[in-house]
Amino acid sequence: MLASCEDVLNLNEVPRDRVSGEQVFQDEAFAEALAADLYAKFPFTSFSTPNGGHNFAGSLGHHDLGTQRGGSFTGCRTHGGMNINTDCEGLWDYEYIRELNFFIENIRESPLSENFKTQMEGEVKVLRAALYYKMQKRYGGVPLVDVVLDPFEEVPEEYTVRSTEEAIADFIDTELETAAGMLSEDSEQTGRVNRWTAYAYKARANLWSASIANFGTLADNRLTGIPSSRADEFYEKASAAARQVINSGNYSLLQGSDPVQTFFNIGVEDSNAETIFEKIYNGVEINHAFAHQNQPTPYSEGQGSQLNPTLELVNHFENLDGTFSTPALGPDNLYPTGSAPWDNKDPRLHATVFFEGSLYAGNVVELYEGIDPTVGGTNPDAVISEVGVSHNGKPSVGSASRRQANQFFPSTGFLLKKLVAETPLIPDDTERYNWKELRLAEMYLIAAESEFELGNLADAAMYLNYTRERVGLMPLNSGTITRDRVRIERTSELIYEGHRWDDLRRWRTALDVLDGQIVHGLRVIYHDDSGQYYFLEINGEATQREFRPEHYYNPITQERIETNGDLVENPGY
C-alpha cells in the first residue's frame, strides 16, 4: 500500500505509459494501486511530509500547552490569525473528495469479485467519512458531495450549498457504520483500513458531535452547531463504537516494567499492539523529519528544538499520589537535579518532556542557562551566563540551552521528547517511523468521557483507569472522577498527538484558556556552591495570545465564497 499511482487516470486520452479509467477497474492490482494513491493523499494529522500533500505537523504543538523555538512564535491559530482571508491549517479538498467518489462509484460497478469490491469500497468509504469529519471539526457544515459531478454540466444546488453541521455528523456516522459492515476484521496491516478503523473513527466523530451539541451554540441557519437534544445520542454512539474496538480483542495497551520507556515506545515503535491505524513511512519516497526538527540542537544537523513544551504543560500532569501541585521555584528553592521538582509526577511527563539532565540516546541534555557562583547563598544577579565562559571548569551555559547563539534555541527551558526517535544527527527527510493516527488508548478515553457525560460515573472511571494504571497512577472511582480528571487524563495521554487544540474547541474552553494567555518557561540555573539547581520563571513568548469567539470554527474565507456564491461565511467573520 506504499506504492503511489500519480496520474493513474487520464480520462481524455490513453497513452501507452498510463492506464485508462476503464482498465483500472478491470484488474484488482490496478484498483488496489489507485486505492494506495488515495491513502497517500489522506490528510493524516501527522509528521511533516516534505514530498508534498497535507502537512499538519505544526498543529501537534500549537496549543495552550506548547510553543515553538526562539521565543517570537506567533502561530496563526494561537495568536488570532484566523480571519476572513486566512484559514489556519484549513482542509477544503473537494478535488480529493471527487477522487474518493470516483473510486467508490466505479469499484461498485466493476466486474471484479464481490469480496474484493466490498472490501475496497469499505476502505475508501472510511477515508471519505474521516475526511468529512476533519472538515466538520474546522468548518461545521460543509457542502456534502457524495457523487461524482460532471464538470461539464451545471452543478445541482444541493452540492454547492453547505449542509448543516448536524447533517454532516449524521452522514459521517452512517457511512462509518455501513463501512464497518463491509470490512474485514484483519488487524495485521496497520497502514490499511479495517473494521476497527471504521469504529475508531466513528467513536472520534461522535464524541466531537456530542461535545458540539453539549457545549456549543446552534446557529440560526444551523450551519454550525448541533441541537443540544442530541448530545446524549452522540455520546452513546461514541461510547458504543469505542467499546467495539476495545472488545474486539485485536489490540492491547503496550505494557512494560518501565512506564516512562513503555509510554515513549508507543510513539516510535511501528505497528505495536496498540496501533489501530498508522501512516506508513519508508524513509525514502515517503519520509519525514520529525526527530531531525525536534531533537536537542547539539544532536541535530542544525534543525532541532522546534516544538517546546511550556511550564503550564509540565505542571499540568498529576502527581503519583493522585494530587496536583505546583513546585516552589525561585532562588530560595534548590533542587538536586534539573527535573527534581517534577520527579513525583505522572511518568508520562518524563516520556513527553526533556528536562535539564535528561538523556537523549545516552547523551546528557544540558538546558541550564547559567551558573550562580555565590557562596553561602544564591544571587540571580551574579549568574554567569555567557557562551564560551566557564566557572570551575563547567561551561556557564548548557549546550542545548536558550543562551546558545543559534536560531534553533528552545524558548521555554524544556524540549519535546515524545515522538522524537533516539537517532542523533539524523539527516533531514530520511525518517521512517510511523505516525499513529489511531491507537487503543484513545478508545478507552473516548468511552470514559462519553460515559461520564452520560452520568455513568462508575463506567467512566473503569475505562479511565486503563490508561492510568498502565503508568502507576491511583485508580479513580465513581466518587473521585470529575470532568476535570477526565480531561486531564486525556491530555496527559494524548498531548502532542494532534488533539489538544481540537479538544479546547469542542469543549468550548478555548476562549477562557487561550485569549490573553502568556505561556511560560524556566531559566535553569546551576548553583555551583551546593551542586544543585534553581529555576526562574520566564515568558515563553514575546506576545500575548489571542482567541476570539468566531475561532471556534475556521472561516470559509472570502476566496471560497467568491468561487462559489452559494457558500455562507461562519459567524463572526
mmCIF file with all atom_site columns, all heavy atoms in Angstrom, residues 509-521:
data_model
loop_
_atom_site.group_PDB
_atom_site.id
_atom_site.type_symbol
_atom_site.label_atom_id
_atom_site.label_alt_id
_atom_site.label_comp_id
_atom_site.label_asym_id
_atom_site.label_entity_id
_atom_site.label_seq_id
_atom_site.pdbx_PDB_ins_code
_atom_site.Cartn_x
_atom_site.Cartn_y
_atom_site.Cartn_z
_atom_site.occupancy
_atom_site.B_iso_or_equiv
_atom_site.pdbx_formal_charge
_atom_site.auth_seq_id
_atom_site.auth_comp_id
_atom_site.auth_asym_id
_atom_site.auth_atom_id
_atom_site.pdbx_PDB_model_num
ATOM 1  N N   . THR A 1 509 ? -13.776 25.693 25.736 1.00 0.00 ? 509 THR A N   1
ATOM 2  C CA  . THR A 1 509 ? -12.959 26.314 26.786 1.00 0.00 ? 509 THR A CA  1
ATOM 3  C C   . THR A 1 509 ? -11.826 27.152 26.218 1.00 0.00 ? 509 THR A C   1
ATOM 4  O O   . THR A 1 509 ? -11.088 27.788 26.975 1.00 0.00 ? 509 THR A O   1
ATOM 5  C CB  . THR A 1 509 ? -12.354 25.237 27.714 1.00 0.00 ? 509 THR A CB  1
ATOM 6  O OG1 . THR A 1 509 ? -11.556 24.337 26.929 1.00 0.00 ? 509 THR A OG1 1
ATOM 7  C CG2 . THR A 1 509 ? -13.441 24.452 28.434 1.00 0.00 ? 509 THR A CG2 1
ATOM 8  N N   . ALA A 1 510 ? -11.658 27.160 24.889 1.00 0.00 ? 510 ALA A N   1
ATOM 9  C CA  . ALA A 1 510 ? -10.505 27.840 24.284 1.00 0.00 ? 510 ALA A CA  1
ATOM 10 C C   . ALA A 1 510 ? -10.509 29.332 24.577 1.00 0.00 ? 510 ALA A C   1
ATOM 11 O O   . ALA A 1 510 ? -9.446  29.928 24.781 1.00 0.00 ? 510 ALA A O   1
ATOM 12 C CB  . ALA A 1 510 ? -10.491 27.593 22.776 1.00 0.00 ? 510 ALA A CB  1
ATOM 13 N N   . LEU A 1 511 ? -11.684 29.948 24.586 1.00 0.00 ? 511 LEU A N   1
ATOM 14 C CA  . LEU A 1 511 ? -11.748 31.391 24.839 1.00 0.00 ? 511 LEU A CA  1
ATOM 15 C C   . LEU A 1 511 ? -11.208 31.718 26.226 1.00 0.00 ? 511 LEU A C   1
ATOM 16 O O   . LEU A 1 511 ? -10.434 32.669 26.408 1.00 0.00 ? 511 LEU A O   1
ATOM 17 C CB  . LEU A 1 511 ? -13.187 31.879 24.687 1.00 0.00 ? 511 LEU A CB  1
ATOM 18 C CG  . LEU A 1 511 ? -13.399 33.395 24.717 1.00 0.00 ? 511 LEU A CG  1
ATOM 19 C CD1 . LEU A 1 511 ? -12.688 34.067 23.559 1.00 0.00 ? 511 LEU A CD1 1
ATOM 20 C CD2 . LEU A 1 511 ? -14.894 33.724 24.681 1.00 0.00 ? 511 LEU A CD2 1
ATOM 21 N N   . ASP A 1 512 ? -11.582 30.929 27.221 1.00 0.00 ? 512 ASP A N   1
ATOM 22 C CA  . ASP A 1 512 ? -11.108 31.164 28.586 1.00 0.00 ? 512 ASP A CA  1
ATOM 23 C C   . ASP A 1 512 ? -9.624  30.852 28.726 1.00 0.00 ? 512 ASP A C   1
ATOM 24 O O   . ASP A 1 512 ? -8.899  31.543 29.447 1.00 0.00 ? 512 ASP A O   1
ATOM 25 C CB  . ASP A 1 512 ? -11.900 30.292 29.569 1.00 0.00 ? 512 ASP A CB  1
ATOM 26 C CG  . ASP A 1 512 ? -13.361 30.682 29.647 1.00 0.00 ? 512 ASP A CG  1
ATOM 27 O OD1 . ASP A 1 512 ? -13.673 31.860 29.398 1.00 0.00 ? 512 ASP A OD1 1
ATOM 28 O OD2 . ASP A 1 512 ? -14.193 29.800 29.934 1.00 0.00 ? 512 ASP A OD2 1
ATOM 29 N N   . VAL A 1 513 ? -9.150  29.815 28.045 1.00 0.00 ? 513 VAL A N   1
ATOM 30 C CA  . VAL A 1 513 ? -7.782  29.349 28.229 1.00 0.00 ? 513 VAL A CA  1
ATOM 31 C C   . VAL A 1 513 ? -6.786  30.148 27.400 1.00 0.00 ? 513 VAL A C   1
ATOM 32 O O   . VAL A 1 513 ? -5.703  30.514 27.885 1.00 0.00 ? 513 VAL A O   1
ATOM 33 C CB  . VAL A 1 513 ? -7.687  27.847 27.874 1.00 0.00 ? 513 VAL A CB  1
ATOM 34 C CG1 . VAL A 1 513 ? -6.233  27.378 27.850 1.00 0.00 ? 513 VAL A CG1 1
ATOM 35 C CG2 . VAL A 1 513 ? -8.496  27.017 28.857 1.00 0.00 ? 513 VAL A CG2 1
ATOM 36 N N   . LEU A 1 514 ? -7.134  30.408 26.132 1.00 0.00 ? 514 LEU A N   1
ATOM 37 C CA  . LEU A 1 514 ? -6.164  30.971 25.196 1.00 0.00 ? 514 LEU A CA  1
ATOM 38 C C   . LEU A 1 514 ? -6.176  32.495 25.112 1.00 0.00 ? 514 LEU A C   1
ATOM 39 O O   . LEU A 1 514 ? -5.122  33.107 24.930 1.00 0.00 ? 514 LEU A O   1
ATOM 40 C CB  . LEU A 1 514 ? -6.408  30.402 23.796 1.00 0.00 ? 514 LEU A CB  1
ATOM 41 C CG  . LEU A 1 514 ? -5.768  29.052 23.475 1.00 0.00 ? 514 LEU A CG  1
ATOM 42 C CD1 . LEU A 1 514 ? -6.315  28.518 22.166 1.00 0.00 ? 514 LEU A CD1 1
ATOM 43 C CD2 . LEU A 1 514 ? -4.263  29.178 23.396 1.00 0.00 ? 514 LEU A CD2 1
ATOM 44 N N   . ASP A 1 515 ? -7.336  33.106 25.209 1.00 0.00 ? 515 ASP A N   1
ATOM 45 C CA  . ASP A 1 515 ? -7.376  34.549 24.963 1.00 0.00 ? 515 ASP A CA  1
ATOM 46 C C   . ASP A 1 515 ? -6.664  35.313 26.087 1.00 0.00 ? 515 ASP A C   1
ATOM 47 O O   . ASP A 1 515 ? -7.032  35.204 27.264 1.00 0.00 ? 515 ASP A O   1
ATOM 48 C CB  . ASP A 1 515 ? -8.822  35.033 24.835 1.00 0.00 ? 515 ASP A CB  1
ATOM 49 C CG  . ASP A 1 515 ? -8.889  36.431 24.237 1.00 0.00 ? 515 ASP A CG  1
ATOM 50 O OD1 . ASP A 1 515 ? -8.211  36.671 23.222 1.00 0.00 ? 515 ASP A OD1 1
ATOM 51 O OD2 . ASP A 1 515 ? -9.604  37.286 24.784 1.00 0.00 ? 515 ASP A OD2 1
ATOM 52 N N   . GLY A 1 516 ? -5.643  36.061 25.720 1.00 0.00 ? 516 GLY A N   1
ATOM 53 C CA  . GLY A 1 516 ? -4.845  36.808 26.697 1.00 0.00 ? 516 GLY A CA  1
ATOM 54 C C   . GLY A 1 516 ? -3.766  35.983 27.366 1.00 0.00 ? 516 GLY A C   1
ATOM 55 O O   . GLY A 1 516 ? -3.035  36.489 28.223 1.00 0.00 ? 516 GLY A O   1
ATOM 56 N N   . GLN A 1 517 ? -3.620  34.722 26.985 1.00 0.00 ? 517 GLN A N   1
ATOM 57 C CA  . GLN A 1 517 ? -2.638  33.849 27.617 1.00 0.00 ? 517 GLN A CA  1
ATOM 58 C C   . GLN A 1 517 ? -1.208  34.274 27.296 1.00 0.00 ? 517 GLN A C   1
ATOM 59 O O   . GLN A 1 517 ? -0.902  34.697 26.185 1.00 0.00 ? 517 GLN A O   1
ATOM 60 C CB  . GLN A 1 517 ? -2.843  32.398 27.149 1.00 0.00 ? 517 GLN A CB  1
ATOM 61 C CG  . GLN A 1 517 ? -1.876  31.405 27.792 1.00 0.00 ? 517 GLN A CG  1
ATOM 62 C CD  . GLN A 1 517 ? -1.892  30.046 27.114 1.00 0.00 ? 517 GLN A CD  1
ATOM 63 O OE1 . GLN A 1 517 ? -2.132  29.936 25.922 1.00 0.00 ? 517 GLN A OE1 1
ATOM 64 N NE2 . GLN A 1 517 ? -1.611  28.995 27.878 1.00 0.00 ? 517 GLN A NE2 1
ATOM 65 N N   . ILE A 1 518 ? -0.354  34.170 28.292 1.00 0.00 ? 518 ILE A N   1
ATOM 66 C CA  . ILE A 1 518 ? 1.086   34.267 28.105 1.00 0.00 ? 518 ILE A CA  1
ATOM 67 C C   . ILE A 1 518 ? 1.678   32.955 28.611 1.00 0.00 ? 518 ILE A C   1
ATOM 68 O O   . ILE A 1 518 ? 1.537   32.626 29.787 1.00 0.00 ? 518 ILE A O   1
ATOM 69 C CB  . ILE A 1 518 ? 1.697   35.457 28.866 1.00 0.00 ? 518 ILE A CB  1
ATOM 70 C CG1 . ILE A 1 518 ? 1.129   36.773 28.348 1.00 0.00 ? 518 ILE A CG1 1
ATOM 71 C CG2 . ILE A 1 518 ? 3.219   35.448 28.738 1.00 0.00 ? 518 ILE A CG2 1
ATOM 72 C CD1 . ILE A 1 518 ? 1.605   37.991 29.111 1.00 0.00 ? 518 ILE A CD1 1
ATOM 73 N N   . VAL A 1 519 ? 2.286   32.190 27.719 1.00 0.00 ? 519 VAL A N   1
ATOM 74 C CA  . VAL A 1 519 ? 2.860   30.912 28.154 1.00 0.00 ? 519 VAL A CA  1
ATOM 75 C C   . VAL A 1 519 ? 4.207   31.163 28.811 1.00 0.00 ? 519 VAL A C   1
ATOM 76 O O   . VAL A 1 519 ? 4.878   32.158 28.542 1.00 0.00 ? 519 VAL A O   1
ATOM 77 C CB  . VAL A 1 519 ? 3.005   29.932 26.977 1.00 0.00 ? 519 VAL A CB  1
ATOM 78 C CG1 . VAL A 1 519 ? 1.654   29.596 26.385 1.00 0.00 ? 519 VAL A CG1 1
ATOM 79 C CG2 . VAL A 1 519 ? 3.942   30.470 25.912 1.00 0.00 ? 519 VAL A CG2 1
ATOM 80 N N   . HIS A 1 520 ? 4.602   30.241 29.666 1.00 0.00 ? 520 HIS A N   1
ATOM 81 C CA  . HIS A 1 520 ? 5.796   30.430 30.476 1.00 0.00 ? 520 HIS A CA  1
ATOM 82 C C   . HIS A 1 520 ? 6.782   29.280 30.317 1.00 0.00 ? 520 HIS A C   1
ATOM 83 O O   . HIS A 1 520 ? 6.432   28.184 29.891 1.00 0.00 ? 520 HIS A O   1
ATOM 84 C CB  . HIS A 1 520 ? 5.413   30.586 31.956 1.00 0.00 ? 520 HIS A CB  1
ATOM 85 C CG  . HIS A 1 520 ? 4.556   31.779 32.222 1.00 0.00 ? 520 HIS A CG  1
ATOM 86 N ND1 . HIS A 1 520 ? 3.173   31.714 32.224 1.00 0.00 ? 520 HIS A ND1 1
ATOM 87 C CD2 . HIS A 1 520 ? 4.872   33.066 32.452 1.00 0.00 ? 520 HIS A CD2 1
ATOM 88 C CE1 . HIS A 1 520 ? 2.680   32.919 32.472 1.00 0.00 ? 520 HIS A CE1 1
ATOM 89 N NE2 . HIS A 1 520 ? 3.692   33.752 32.616 1.00 0.00 ? 520 HIS A NE2 1
ATOM 90 N N   . GLY A 1 521 ? 8.008   29.583 30.682 1.00 0.00 ? 521 GLY A N   1
ATOM 91 C CA  . GLY A 1 521 ? 9.077   28.602 30.725 1.00 0.00 ? 521 GLY A CA  1
ATOM 92 C C   . GLY A 1 521 ? 9.958   28.889 31.917 1.00 0.00 ? 521 GLY A C   1
ATOM 93 O O   . GLY A 1 521 ? 9.563   29.614 32.832 1.00 0.00 ? 521 GLY A O   1
#
